[in-house]
């Protein structure tokens, strides 16, 4: 499921309204800067969702803090309470990281993974997981979907 976001909005409250109805029993797969929104959205969804309603989240090339001083991609700062709330709605987080990603340094992805206490998969020679880096499929993402499906 890929919800249509309202007017290309970057405001968390607009994203939350669109995601809330779709999240139950879903596996979220996000790439690069979208991964920060997954953790934020998981923490901010309404309290009437019961614990662990999201089946799992796979975060590819994720990061949770600015990549450089000029970077404005991370719109929301993470704090421990938000991560705790996110884990109330999603028990399984898997981070897929590339050791040679030119856009998101490995350390930034590992930082996010530590915050969410996820399982880390370190890929080699995958760059930023895009066609320009010769990546057309990602077996570890597929395997992660199967793993989450089997755990639920």
């Amino acid at each position: 499921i890929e919800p249509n976001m309202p007017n290309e909005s970057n405001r968390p409250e607009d994203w939350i309204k669109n995601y809330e109805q779709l999240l139950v029993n879903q596996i979220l797969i996000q790439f690069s800067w979208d991964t920060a929104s997954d953790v934020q959205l998981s923490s901010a969804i309404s309290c009437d969702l019961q614990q662990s309603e999201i089946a799992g989240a796979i975060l590819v090339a994720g990061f949770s803090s600015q990549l450089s001083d000029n970077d404005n991609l991370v719109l929301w700062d993470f704090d421990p309470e938000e991560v705790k709330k996110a884990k109330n709605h999603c028990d399984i987080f898997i981070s897929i990281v590339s050791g040679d990603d030119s856009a998101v340094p490995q350390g930034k992805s590992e930082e996010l993974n530590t915050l969410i206490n996820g399982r880390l998969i370190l890929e080699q020679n995958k760059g930023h997981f895009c066609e320009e880096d010769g990546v057309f499929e990602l077996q570890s993402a597929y395997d992660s979907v199967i793993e989450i499906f089997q755990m639920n």
Side-chain angles (χ1 to χ4, degrees):
I1 296 173
E2 184 176 334
N4 293 320
M5 290 305 159
N7 304 320
E8 305 276 331
S9 173
N10 286 330
R11 294 181 15 213
E13 57 271 18
D14 292 336
W15 286 52
I16 292 163
K17 287 180 212 167
N18 283 277
Y19 264 95
E20 258 183 338
Q21 302 83 17
L22 304 173
L23 289 177
V24 176
N25 295 321
Q26 298 298 316
I27 298 172
L28 304 176
I29 303 172
Q30 294 287 18
F31 174 70
S32 198
W33 78 275
D34 289 334
T35 59
S37 66
D38 263 1
V39 176
Q40 286 289 337
L41 291 168
S42 298
S43 74
I45 55 179
S46 66
C47 295
D48 58 348
L49 279 180
Q50 296 176 0
Q51 278 194 300
S52 302
E53 293 267 1
I54 302 168
I58 301 166
L59 311 177
V60 180
F63 59 96
S64 61
S65 62
Q66 289 182 303
L67 298 176
S68 71
D69 290 338
N70 298 323
D71 178 26
N72 65 359
L73 289 178
V74 177
L75 303 172
W76 309 308
D77 292 329
F78 282 20
D79 71 46
E81 283 303 309
E82 289 173 341
V83 173
K84 187 182 202 180
K85 288 180 199 174
K87 293 197 67 65
N88 283 338
H89 296 292
C90 182
D91 286 335
I92 305 166
F93 287 93
I94 298 174
S95 296
I96 302 175
V97 178
S98 177
D100 64 339
D101 190 332
S102 61
V104 179
Q106 180 180 337
K108 291 292 186 177
S109 290
E110 290 173 346
E111 180 182 283
L112 171 61
N113 191 66
T114 298
L115 280 172
I116 59 175
N117 194 29
R119 185 167 76 79
L120 182 73
I121 298 172
L122 177 60
E123 294 276 1
Q124 296 299 329
N125 304 314
K126 299 288 186 190
H128 193 54
F129 302 103
C130 56
E131 290 180 9
E132 290 83 11
D133 293 321
V135 179
F136 298 93
E137 59 184 51
L138 190 57
Q139 185 65 42
S140 58
Y142 174 80
D143 293 343
S144 296
V145 169
I146 300 301
E147 176 184 337
I148 291 170
F149 179 74
Q150 291 173 341
M151 294 174 78
N152 282 290

